[in-house]
Amino acid sequence: MLNQKIKSYDTWVNICLTDWGLQNFLVNTVNFYKNSSIYETKFIKSQLCSLLYPHIYRVNNFPQIHSIMQWVFQSKSVQEHINISQFSELIRSLKKIQNDLMEAMAKSKSEETVVEAQRKATYEVSLSLRYFLNYLQEKEQPDTQLLLLSIAAGAGYHVVNKHFQYLLGCEELNFLLHEVQTAQDKYQELNNICTYRAQAFLVITGLTATIRVTAVSPKEKTQRLTLINQHMGQFLSKEVVHVLSKHGAHKNWENLEKDLRLLINGNYDATISSLQMDEISKNLQSIFHERKQPHEPHDDDNINGEVIKNTAFLELLQHLGLEQFYPKKMSRTNFHLINKTSVYNSKPCSESELHQYFLQKLQVLDYELRYLLFRDDGDTQNQVNPSALNKDNEAFNPYKYLFEDRDTPISPSPSKHRPHIHPMDIQMAILHCADDFARQYILSKLSICQFALPLLIPNPCSSHIEFSLWSFSQIRRSWQEARKSPREEKINYKNKQMCQVSTPIVSFIRVGNGFSASKSQIMNCLLSKRKHDVFFHRHCRGSTKDCLLMGGVVEICWFCPGGEDEDRFDNCVTFTNLHGDAKEHKKQLTFLQEVSSLIVVLMSTSDDNKENQKIIHDLSQSPRPLICLVDNKDKNVDNNSSQKVVIGIRDRNEAELTEELVTTIRRLLELLDNALSLEDCTPIARKQGFLIDEDQRNCKEAKEKAEVLIALLREWNISQVKENLLPLQGHLWHLWCKKDKELYHLRDKGNRSIEQHKSEIETEKQNIRSQQLSRAFPLNELMQSVLEILQNYSETQTTHYFLQWLSVLLDNLTAGHLEKLNEKKNILWSRIQKEKQKAPKSTDVQDWQKEIEAISTEISDCTLGIEQLLREVGQIYEALEEASPTKDNLYLSLPQIAANLLISGAPIELMDGDTSYVPVKWVGAVFDKVSEKLENKRLFVLSILGLQSSGKSTLLNALFGLQFTVSAGRCTRGAYMQLLKVEDTFTEELGFDFVLVVDTEGLRAPELSNKSKNRDNELATFVIGLGNLTLINIFGENPSEMQDILQIVVQAFMRMKQVKISPSCIFIHQNVGEVTAKDQTMEGRRRLEQRLDEMATIAAEQEQCSDVTRFGDIIKFDAIRESTAIAKDKSSTVSGWLDLFCDHLGSKLNFPRKDLISIEHQEINDIEFLKKAMSEALDDLMTVVEKTRFSMPEEDMVPEIQNMLSEHLCGCWKQCPFCGAICTNTIPNHDGDHSVPFHRPKAVNGGQWVNTDHFNIDCCTSLVASNHSFVLNGRDIPFKTYRQAGGEFAKWSITPDTSTQPYWKWFVCHFRSNLEGKYEKQFTDKGKIPDAWTKITKQNVLDDLKQQ
């Protein structure tokens, strides 16, 4: 009553049972009934049992309790428990107690009787455990004692008080029986193999054993761990001690238990890796702290609040449609996209489109951008007055106009029309609207077009003058300095960042107005023999006197010699050009006076302007050389041998004047030794009060961070930086890639099966990854800083500034050393060529070749750029992704960094150029992040393939305005990708939202000639398989080079055909002779197709494809090109293209046009496809049901409908011809190949090795990557070309799979004995199960299945 009322036994235990009087009463009662019969004591024993058990064991000061409880439960069976000394005896006792309880419960008619039976069973189990535990203690078997205590504790046994805390039932007895038996067997099995594995099992059993649904609480685990240490502390192996101690006082129980399971599986190294992962996690935690917020821009950072007070400038912006972008609000994302302007060869329809056409032409390096015009229909400049045509009788007298008094006023035209916009105003307006990165991009492209660039830019709305330094940081030029003697070979060239190159500066200025000569035109003649207009001048198409924005602009260009005798200057020279009258731009003039080595002035001696005369006087008094080009004189001054030269230019022959000017400039420059770079000019510009673009806060902060990292690198020898500071890219990475590639080229290794060989490779890869992590973490200062910056400033301009600065500084760090190495390599190469002609077998040639190899290796080691740093980030991700037991969100944020860069338009490495390996997990993770951010937009992949140095990168840059690295002597290595957005209004017509352009390294690279011959074929297969469309770049008409590229391409397409991928390609033939006649064009196509047919035949033999006899069997030659060409000419839509396409097919293929309606407007996504498939399968069926079944009784109709649905929707039941796996396609009689995500080891179906009883554990997804064959009807058929077997073999898609795929491996291990019993075969010899399979846990399988 008391316990029921207060719902607790605490009062009964702590107050009543501790009372000495009650205890004495209980002892006396037992003593009184000891000699009574069983019948007489039955009731009293029952009452005492209900009162005392099991609560009495909580009383500490009641020594007679054991004798009382022994009398209460006394029976014959109790005596049998006394001598338990083996597990078998304990198990037998537990089974008897269980049977007795079950029997009592079956016979019982009341709850009270059941409870009494439970009390008895609980007491007997406690007694049995106590006797056996005492025996184990006497025999000093603490491990077995601990195992038994742990299991008993899981069923509620109190290890201190030695009793169960609640009554046992059948469920608890089942638990005890099962756990005692299986745990002892497992422990003994492990103990026979390895002590630490058995002890790990002992510890994890002690921590986790429980009958409860919920897991053991952390508090209870702490208590259990204390018990473990008490029993086994001094006996535990070093491996177990290591695992227990590494997690410290505050245990992470989940990680501890994972480590213990690794120990049980014998994978001690992995526990070390686990400890390593903990340290790595802490390391990453210190990096990926809360991201810094970008600061608010200061007044000197931008001028977003600027009011346009210059009315003419405002009107210009409005006419060009640029007012929304001023000032500096136009980024590359605003114009670097694919739109109709870039696809169709059209002309601007209004002035507001001029800036779009300018930028589009700039991106594709079309020099015609300088001559963009739009004349309104109302412009009367070129119109004829109709009334004038009617004056037929009026005599025309030209002399009347020639000798007319000039002072006579000319009658004004009836209406004055605004002239067209000056081409240079378009360029300058765009520059004023462009942000720093867009301006940098624009100037880089203008530089490639060989145009002069604005260095000093006056702000049209203020008195500020901007000095462009940051904007010039990406501009590089190449040149060859003059040879010292005519016989000297041209060995080396210079390729440098021009803002850092110190050169003499020759500045051209104009003092005065109204000259007949054009200063800019004189400079063009000086710089370009081909009359390329480096500077825009008054005689250029579209030039007018109404240019608004060029006044005061100082443009700059460089003369870069080619090392030829006819070069006008032997070394690089900088030329600047001040536009406008110098007296109106005094700050610019003062700046040029300070930085110039030589000033050339266009002037007139008849100019009586005092200010002009003072400027000329000051220049003539300066110690700097001066050349005066006098517009009104035709003779030179006699003292032209001095540093002050006067040259008359009136009525002079252009060629003679140019030659004299060149000679004079060369002579004067030889007298000087002063040279400055743009960086050297910066302090002078700052002194003049110019705004330096590099002085912006973001830019300065990023430069400082980059310089800190460069200082770190300077502490190392350049060739040692990669190995020490980028450790994931060294020897271990090359070795890992080699091992990974072996998984796709599995070979028979004597007495080992393919799966055993594969398992060994995977184990080796894991070991290499572990070594990589050991070297990479804790992160060195370089990578720690890089990751902190990329993470903390993600999606801000600081990141882009930082990466660009780092790129520039890295290039400066390595350029000099690489230049010397390349020069040395070229000298050796020249020697080899000469020596080969004299003595081909000379030992010197071999020695020099080895030396070249060593230099090439050093060049690779010394090549450092942003791509190597981002590659290291990718490798950190890949290594952690494989090694980390949990998906730690810290390293999972790494792909977001690369994804942000890719989305912003930066090129990202797709394939490692040093190892020719694609880090699939890293690239996949980056694409996942891109997809998340862009919301699964449609993507078109364009790739390119060609020989080395055939201009692939240059072609892509020209086609799309990209920024792939192009530079003579520095060819692309690996593959890079860049993302281009399609303008929103153009996506429906194109059918995709983004284009991913992939640039690749060249085929037949000389430096890789000693590598595998398959390298080029592998690269071609990758590139062509990757792209929706591949550009095949053929350069020139060299027959052997064409043979090389065509053979590689055809073989790659052959492989695509085998795996049923149908990519498209366009052959681009560059630098061929001029072809104008149609028959010549057709002849060229005929010869190309003939060569392709020859290559197809050769490739078919190598790939064992008997059904291919010509290239048309692989891909239809030009089915599509003609349709596209005509459609583009007509500016047709997709619908129009489809009409043309179907017409061109003609008799070759009957393809109804109506069947293509679905692709006119949008792609069919998976949901729509499923709806369509379901509709096709069910519509007719449901019609039948409606007509014939509704009259049936419901009980008859439902089963029939279910059968019909089952037949139509149950899916495909075809089995893999190798392993019997069932096709997972949900549609019966589906189109395309059968497939299944998980193929099985042959052993699952009883597969065996021939003439043995040994299981065959090989899996078909591994065999298709091997050199093995199978026999069918007496034929040996390679697994790689299994489709040749025909029949069902040809209808299955089985691709090599290097993933873990743990399910079937775990299945084979777990049900090993079942399989051996069923098929009467053994897992031995070549059928031996790899050790790695035995370490796969059920949890590993479940985790893997969740990811599928």
Side-chain angles (χ1 to χ4, degrees), residues 2 91 100 103 125 127 173 209 402 415 447 614 696 700 761 883 894-895 957 1192 1212 1252 1279 1294:
L2 174 65
I91 291 169
D100 291 344
E103 184 179 348
V125 172
L127 203 60
L173 287 171
L402 292 174
S415 61
S447 173
K614 183 177 185 309
Q696 295 178 80
K700 286 175 68 176
I761 294 173
L894 292 175
N957 290 353
M1192 297 172 61
C1212 177
T1252 72
F1279 274 100
I1294 308 172

Side-chain angles (χ1 to χ4, degrees), residues 597-599 625-627 640-645 663-672:
S597 304
L598 168 66
I599 292 182
L626 175 69
I627 298 177
N640 279 354
S641 59
S642 70
Q643 291 192 20
K644 304 293 187 289
V645 179
T663 302
T664 304
I665 292 174
R666 288 180 64 136
R667 177 178 66 79
L668 293 176
L669 290 180
E670 287 172 359
L671 301 175
L672 305 170

Side-chain angles (χ1 to χ4, degrees), residues 336 342 359-366 441 445 448-449 944 951-964 966 980 997 1031 1070:
H336 199 201
S342 61
L359 291 168
Q360 187 274 320
K361 287 181 177 292
L362 178 73
Q363 290 179 75
V364 300
L365 305 178
D366 183 352
Y441 175 83
K445 294 294 182 181
I448 296 173
C449 291
I944 191 167
K952 298 180 299 301
S953 302
T954 304
L955 175 64
L956 292 176
N957 290 353
L959 284 173
F960 301 105
L962 303 179
Q963 290 181 295
F964 292 123
V966 289
L980 274 175
V997 183
L1031 304 179
Q1070 299 188 64

Side-chain angles (χ1 to χ4, degrees), residues 892-1124:
L892 289 177
S893 63
L894 292 175
Q896 188 67 61
I897 294 171
N900 291 339
L901 291 173
L902 185 62
I903 292 170
S904 70
I908 297 294
E909 187 177 62
L910 174 62
M911 183 177 78
D912 183 337
D914 292 336
T915 60
S916 296
Y917 183 83
V918 180
V920 178
K921 292 179 180 177
W922 165 248
V923 172
V926 171
F927 281 142
D928 286 343
K929 294 296 183 183
V930 171
S931 181
E932 286 177 18
K933 194 162 187 178
L934 300 180
E935 299 179 347
N936 294 312
K937 298 292 186 182
R938 296 167 296 177
L939 184 69
F940 185 90
V941 180
L942 177 73
S943 56
I944 191 167
L945 195 67
L947 299 180
Q948 189 185 78
S949 299
S950 61
K952 298 180 299 301
S953 302
T954 304
L955 175 64
L956 292 176
N957 290 353
L959 284 173
F960 301 105
L962 303 179
Q963 290 181 295
F964 292 123
T965 303
V966 289
S967 177
R970 295 182 66 182
C971 296
T972 304
R973 292 290 302 276
Y976 290 83
M977 54 186 173
Q978 194 166 344
L979 198 63
L980 274 175
K981 189 179 187 303
V982 177
E983 193 175 48
D984 293 338
T985 58
F986 202 32
T987 56
E988 289 303 315
E989 186 169 337
L990 288 185
F992 44 84
D993 304 284
F994 287 88
V995 175
L996 186 73
V997 183
V998 179
D999 186 24
T1000 59
E1001 68 179 62
L1003 305 171
R1004 295 293 191 259
E1007 67 271 20
L1008 300 174
S1009 58
N1010 62 332
K1011 301 286 180 70
S1012 169
K1013 293 181 180 179
N1014 290 327
R1015 177 189 175 95
D1016 286 341
N1017 290 334
E1018 291 172 355
L1019 177 64
T1021 303
F1022 168 70
V1023 171
I1024 290 175
L1026 187 70
N1028 297 94
L1029 176 67
T1030 302
L1031 304 179
I1032 312 298
N1033 193 38
I1034 302 174
F1035 191 78
E1037 297 179 282
N1038 185 307
S1040 63
E1041 290 185 357
M1042 286 188 67
Q1043 177 103 352
D1044 281 347
I1045 181 68
L1046 292 179
Q1047 183 171 351
I1048 294 168
V1049 167
V1050 169
Q1051 193 141 359
F1053 272 102
M1054 185 79 69
R1055 292 176 177 176
M1056 295 301 105
K1057 178 182 174 69
Q1058 290 175 345
V1059 294
K1060 300 198 174 180
I1061 296 177
S1062 303
S1064 301
C1065 70
I1066 293 178
F1067 287 88
I1068 298 177
H1069 206 168
Q1070 299 188 64
N1071 279 33
V1072 296
E1074 182 178 0
V1075 177
T1076 54
K1078 182 178 180 181
D1079 57 343
Q1080 288 178 306
T1081 305
M1082 294 302 295
E1083 174 62 18
R1085 285 186 56 202
R1086 186 194 66 76
R1087 286 186 305 194
L1088 177 59
E1089 192 166 0
Q1090 181 179 354
R1091 287 185 181 178
L1092 288 169
D1093 287 343
E1094 293 170 0
M1095 296 302 104
T1097 305
I1098 296 171
E1101 292 176 1
Q1102 294 176 347
E1103 297 293 327
Q1104 301 178 350
C1105 292
S1106 57
D1107 59 334
V1108 173
T1109 58
R1110 59 192 182 91
F1111 186 66
D1113 294 330
I1114 305 172
I1115 184 172
K1116 299 303 177 187
F1117 190 76
D1118 266 357
I1120 296 174
R1121 185 198 65 81
E1122 294 178 6
S1123 305
T1124 305

Side-chain angles (χ1 to χ4, degrees), residues 1109-1176:
T1109 58
R1110 59 192 182 91
F1111 186 66
D1113 294 330
I1114 305 172
I1115 184 172
K1116 299 303 177 187
F1117 190 76
D1118 266 357
I1120 296 174
R1121 185 198 65 81
E1122 294 178 6
S1123 305
T1124 305
I1126 297 172
K1128 283 187 177 179
D1129 289 343
K1130 294 182 177 180
S1131 298
S1132 298
T1133 62
V1134 176
S1135 178
W1137 180 88
L1138 288 172
D1139 292 331
L1140 291 165
F1141 175 68
C1142 292
D1143 290 342
H1144 278 123
L1145 287 176
S1147 59
K1148 298 177 184 176
L1149 183 65
N1150 183 15
F1151 204 52
R1153 169 66 177 83
K1154 61 184 178 61
D1155 291 349
L1156 297 172
I1157 292 175
S1158 61
I1159 66 167
E1160 283 187 3
H1161 305 295
Q1162 62 181 354
E1163 293 183 341
I1164 301 175
N1165 58 38
D1166 291 339
I1167 300 297
E1168 291 171 331
F1169 172 76
L1170 184 58
K1171 284 182 184 176
K1172 184 173 181 288
M1174 292 283 285
S1175 176
E1176 289 176 353

Side-chain angles (χ1 to χ4, degrees), residues 573-634:
V573 181
T574 301
F575 288 88
T576 65
N577 181 10
L578 172 59
H579 289 267
D581 190 347
K583 71 172 178 292
E584 298 174 5
H585 311 289
K586 293 182 179 178
K587 285 187 177 181
Q588 292 92 319
L589 176 61
T590 304
F591 171 78
L592 292 177
Q593 284 181 275
E594 288 200 50
V595 303
S596 300
S597 304
L598 168 66
I599 292 182
V600 181
V601 184
L602 179 62
M603 58 169 287
S604 171
T605 55
S606 62
D607 189 348
D608 56 0
N609 185 288
K610 300 298 182 181
E611 195 171 355
N612 289 346
Q613 291 177 357
K614 183 177 185 309
I615 291 174
I616 299 298
H617 178 267
D618 291 343
L619 290 172
S620 63
Q621 298 303 309
S622 167
R624 310 222 176 215
L626 175 69
I627 298 177
C628 295
L629 302 179
V630 184
D631 185 65
N632 63 330
K633 297 291 182 181
D634 56 5

